[in-house]
Amino acid sequence: MNAPMTDEERFRKENPMSEFLRMERMPHIWCPGCGIGTVVNSFAEALKKSDLDMDKVAVVSGIGCTGRVAGYMKFDSLHTTHGRAIPVATGLKLANPDMKVVVVSGDGDLTGIGGNHFIHAARRNMDITVICVNNFTYGMTGGQVTPTTPTKANASTTPYGNYEYPFSLPFLADACGATYVARWTSLHARNITNSISEALKHKGFSFIEVITPCTTLYARRNRLGDGLDALQYYHDDSEIVHGADTREVDIEFQSKIKMGTFVHREKPTYLEAVNTHYANVIGDEYQLYGKTTPEREAEKKAQEQANQGSK
Amino acid sequence: MRKVAADPKGVDSGSHFMDGDHALAEGALAAGCRFFAGYPITPSTEVAERFAERCPHVGGLFIQMEDEIASIAALIGGAWGGQKVMTVTSGPGFSLMMENIGLAVMTETPMVICNVQRCGPSTGLPTLTAQQDMMQVRWGSQGDYRIIALSPDSPQECFDLAIEAFNLSETYRVPVFIMTDETVGHMHEKVVVPPAEQIEVLDRNWYTGPKEDYRPYDFTGNLPAPMVKAGDGYRFHTTGLTHDERGYPAGSVEVHKKLLDHLIGKIDNNVDKISKTEDSGLGDAEVVVISYGITSRIAAKAIADGRKAGIKVGAMRLITVWPLCENRIREIASKVKGIVVPEINMGQVVLEVERVVGGRCKVISVPHAGGAVHDPEVILDAIKEAVK
């Protein structure tokens, strides 16, 4: 008789998301009460529901707690340098436009050290999805202030409270040209899933901000309780305002959180703009860049048929 | 390595009158590079401009990124996306690239980076010539590693070495640097682009075996594992963290040593295959001038004058600066009275030459603070000093 499965064996075998996770890498490094796992789960759920070819999905992360997402997801995945997930994702997408490239990283990584890349990818309407896990803190280095930390909140490098003005990320993304912008909290797992589904279908730069608790550092330092207290706060003090003016969705310390799909518009992506522009100005001489494999195959087939017809 | 035919679309065969920068772009296109991410900086910008102009006609893509950090990051994504990739920069931009050069080394990502050197530190003498980044290219990113650096002395060689750089980078899965300078970059000369079928292009080894057996890395201390590209279904993982052969983070001293031994060994164990020099007059030489890039053309005048004056002086031009051909230099050192090393910096490569020579003969540095090439007289004086 076989020995009964241990809890760990059962977890590895029966985890509903195991097909999307590198189960051999478990257990992960995230703390109890952290929101990153929720985001990963919602991302996996959205992929499960999608009709994407899973071999054509790539996950790119920067550095930090959320930066570890790329290492746990069973896709072509690149764990890069601090702040540089977006330009790496840009290179990957442009080198192989068949790919659906998703960046998952933290607030410090994407909008602090990587802020320049964030605004330019949005400006170009680069066809990638960026999921920002915003816990208002640099977790891996021990709870320092980030560009999104609300004014007055305490951080290890603002031990007397934060006196800077934070970024409102949906406003930043919107202003820079992102064509899909949404925000949720980690309590709203289904909404996150739905937003990621929409973003995966969307052509162009899609941005999803997920407000999450950092229980070990941000919450403890600001005496906000544990993970459950954070979810209670998200439950009591969040409201859905789809289509909200992004100028009015700032988050202050423990203030009401406006969330929803704020921006959803159509605009040619970077590669569409490249191809349209060159086709217009160079004409027939232009070697169309970045056609997908099916497009290329169809073209080749048509060419062969035309050749046969002329014989 | 897979030898592949050069794609004739990218090969502009014939005789041209062009500068080194334009020749670099043509060499990259001939080598099959179809993805270029860059940021403008004098005196390297013409490489990017040429590529931007040519790529819509050859099925390539040029993207001007927001800075040099983004440019080299995009190359890492581009290379794992399956492309041959290149960027070009100069002094300040080169400094900005350093962190991700380390990532490229660590993840064994093939790419070619041209540095058209200008005079520093900092903004320095914009944008006059120099060879001051020769140590930075070797050590500029944190940690221990090896790279390959080539140094062309003419526009023709810019073309030739661009192809060579891609071939080396595909073979060893390492960033390969073309360390040219403002003088060669902006010098116009005849450049002959051969017919496509005469150009030898090497393509990285592609893994085609079973998915479950795929390992992105193989720590042999010699040739690297074959690569896959994103989208082929192998679900690779790559990280800047110390990793095992599956690419997974592995934070142990033992794995780290194995990884470093490999990154260093794959270059050090192949120096003889990688390294190229151009030698002249070594047979009877009592003094040898070791130089690279534009300085070797100035040295040629000094050497000719030295010979006229009856001094037995020869030349070794380092086409490959890193890895340094240590054994060959040691051989020369045991036969001559002195070695002279002129370079447009305050003495960089000479430090390595001194170490390698180890007192076997005199080593005379001929430094130059930058902004211009040497006066051949100064090199001739050093030759006279060396022969005493």
Side-chain angles (χ1 to χ4, degrees), chain B residues 61-318:
Chain B
L61 186 81
F62 168 83
I63 180 167
Q64 184 171 313
M65 295 300 286
E66 49 273 19
D67 55 29
E68 288 88 347
I69 302 173
S71 301
I72 183 164
L75 296 197
I76 292 172
W80 284 94
Q83 297 272 354
K84 289 186 179 177
V85 297
M86 179 164 95
T87 189
V88 62
T89 191
S90 192
F94 200 51
S95 295
L96 286 177
M97 288 184 180
M98 284 302 145
E99 186 190 9
N100 280 328
I101 286 171
L103 180 61
V105 166
M106 191 66 153
T107 55
E108 300 190 59
T109 305
M111 62 175 60
V112 173
I113 300 160
C114 308
N115 179 356
V116 186
Q117 293 172 90
R118 59 186 253 185
C119 192
S122 190
T123 316
L125 271 182
T127 51
L128 303 179
T129 200
Q131 297 178 311
Q132 295 173 322
D133 306 339
M134 297 312 296
M135 281 297 178
Q136 187 187 18
V137 67
R138 201 174 178 206
W139 304 117
S141 194
Q142 72 270 22
D144 272 315
Y145 59 95
R146 294 287 187 273
I147 48 81
I148 297 173
L150 313 175
S151 177
D153 74 340
S154 66
Q156 178 68 53
E157 207 173 51
C158 285
F159 175 84
D160 298 340
L161 290 188
I163 297 169
E164 174 83 7
F166 275 99
N167 290 350
L168 287 167
S169 147
E170 295 285 308
T171 305
Y172 295 102
R173 282 183 62 179
V174 70
V176 175
F177 297 84
I178 303 176
M179 299 297 288
T180 180
D181 54 75
E182 187 275 336
T183 313
V184 172
H186 285 163
M187 174 198 291
H188 279 74
E189 283 184 339
K190 184 178 175 180
V191 174
V192 178
V193 177
E197 62 274 14
Q198 289 175 19
I199 295 175
E200 183 172 296
V201 171
L202 298 180
D203 212 351
R204 69 194 71 160
N205 283 328
W206 295 104
Y207 177 82
T208 52
K211 286 181 183 172
E212 57 280 12
D213 295 345
Y214 177 64
R215 298 281 180 274
Y217 304 105
D218 188 5
F219 301 148
T220 59
N222 213 308
L223 291 176
M227 282 187 84
V228 295
K229 71 171 196 288
D232 282 352
Y234 291 97
R235 314 272 182 105
F236 67 81
H237 181 63
T238 188
T239 173
L241 286 163
T242 294
H243 49 266
D244 60 21
E245 294 181 337
R246 283 191 301 185
Y248 290 168
S252 86
V253 175
E254 292 74 24
V255 175
H256 190 70
K257 179 178 183 327
K258 212 174 159 199
L259 170 57
L260 246 64
D261 282 346
H262 171 66
L263 295 179
I264 290 171
K266 70 178 178 180
I267 304 300
D268 284 1
N269 292 326
N270 290 293
V271 175
D272 294 342
K273 288 182 198 148
I274 297 167
S275 171
K276 280 188 181 167
T277 61
E278 184 187 43
D279 308 330
S280 61
L282 292 187
D284 65 344
E286 291 182 326
V287 180
V288 171
V289 179
I290 296 181
S291 59
Y292 52 91
I294 188 60
T295 305
S296 57
R297 293 179 71 165
I298 312 303
K301 162 80 173 143
I303 291 164
D305 290 350
R307 281 274 171 184
K308 263 185 224 160
I311 306 172
K312 289 175 179 166
V313 52
M316 178 191 244
R317 178 167 75 86
L318 304 173

Side-chain angles (χ1 to χ4, degrees), chain A:
Chain A
M1 210 181 104
N2 291 337
M5 273 197 280
T6 63
D7 284 352
E8 191 183 326
E9 282 163 351
R10 188 171 296 114
F11 166 74
R12 284 179 199 277
K13 189 157 184 272
E14 295 174 6
N15 185 299
M17 293 306 159
S18 60
E19 63 181 300
F20 304 108
L21 299 174
R22 299 185 192 271
M23 296 306 288
E24 67 274 25
R25 295 286 304 145
M26 299 295 151
H28 57 67
I29 63 162
W30 299 312
C31 305
C34 171
I36 300 171
T38 306
V39 178
V40 170
N41 200 57
S42 295
F43 181 25
E45 185 76 38
L47 286 164
K48 204 170 194 173
K49 286 181 178 168
S50 78
D51 52 5
L52 290 170
D53 175 355
M54 294 303 149
D55 284 343
K56 303 288 181 198
V57 175
V59 182
V60 185
S61 293
I63 294 291
C65 294
T66 314
R68 292 303 183 98
V69 169
Y72 295 130
M73 300 207 72
K74 202 152 90 189
F75 297 96
D76 287 330
S77 51
L78 296 102
H79 177 222
T80 66
T81 41
H82 198 19
R84 316 306 167 200
I86 288 177
V88 171
T90 296
L92 186 63
K93 176 69 187 176
L94 295 180
N96 190 351
D98 292 353
M99 302 298 294
K100 177 61 70 177
V101 184
V102 182
V103 170
V104 188
S105 228
D107 48 312
D109 185 76
L110 286 169
T111 70
I113 189 167
N116 197 27
H117 311 309
F118 180 82
I119 63 177
H120 286 280
R123 173 180 66 78
R124 295 184 181 108
N125 199 25
M126 192 57 67
D127 190 14
I128 58 175
T129 294
V130 176
I131 301 170
C132 177
V133 176
N134 183 2
N135 58 13
F136 306 131
T137 199
Y138 285 95
M140 195 163 270
T141 45
Q144 294 78 26
V145 71
T146 78
T148 62
T149 310
T151 309
K152 293 180 187 160
N154 200 300
S156 72
T157 45
T158 52
Y160 306 100
N162 181 23
Y163 35 77
E164 291 194 17
Y165 311 106
F167 269 145
S168 170
L169 297 184
F171 179 40
L172 180 67
D174 183 10
C176 294
T179 45
Y180 181 93
V181 180
R183 172 196 280 158
W184 300 103
T185 80
S186 61
L187 175 71
H188 301 86
R190 283 208 190 122
N191 304 78
I192 303 170
T193 303
N194 292 340
S195 260
I196 297 176
S197 296
E198 281 181 3
L200 292 172
K201 281 189 202 133
H202 180 76
K203 274 169 111 184
F205 188 86
S206 48
F207 174 65
I208 298 163
E209 178 188 31
V210 184
I211 306 298
T212 64
C214 173
T215 48
T216 304
L217 296 159
Y218 182 81
R220 184 182 292 174
R221 190 174 277 276
N222 286 287
R223 300 178 192 282
L224 300 175
D226 61 14
L228 207 54
D229 293 314
L231 296 182
Q232 188 69 51
Y233 158 55
Y234 298 155
H235 176 266
D236 297 343
D237 285 314
S238 63
E239 63 175 318
I240 298 178
V241 195
H242 289 305
D245 184 334
T246 55
R247 286 173 296 184
E248 290 161 10
V249 300
D250 319 28
I251 299 174
E252 287 169 30
F253 185 64
Q254 294 300 98
S255 73
K256 225 170 183 57
I257 298 171
K258 285 182 187 156
M259 46 184 207
T261 307
F262 300 142
V263 177
H264 199 170
R265 59 190 165 215
E266 298 295 321
K267 196 166 80 173
T269 67
Y270 174 84
L271 265 185
E272 286 170 346
V274 167
N275 282 329
T276 311
H277 180 74
Y278 277 136
N280 283 339
V281 297
I282 299 180
D284 292 344
E285 270 190 44
Y286 177 53
Q287 301 273 332
L288 199 60
Y289 184 82
K291 277 178 285 190
T292 61
T293 310
E295 282 168 349
R296 267 184 237 117
E297 278 163 5
E299 200 176 56
K300 203 174 155 192
K301 211 169 164 186
Q303 186 69 40
E304 277 165 8
Q305 278 170 350
N307 288 347
Q308 276 174 355
S310 65
K311 272 173 195 164

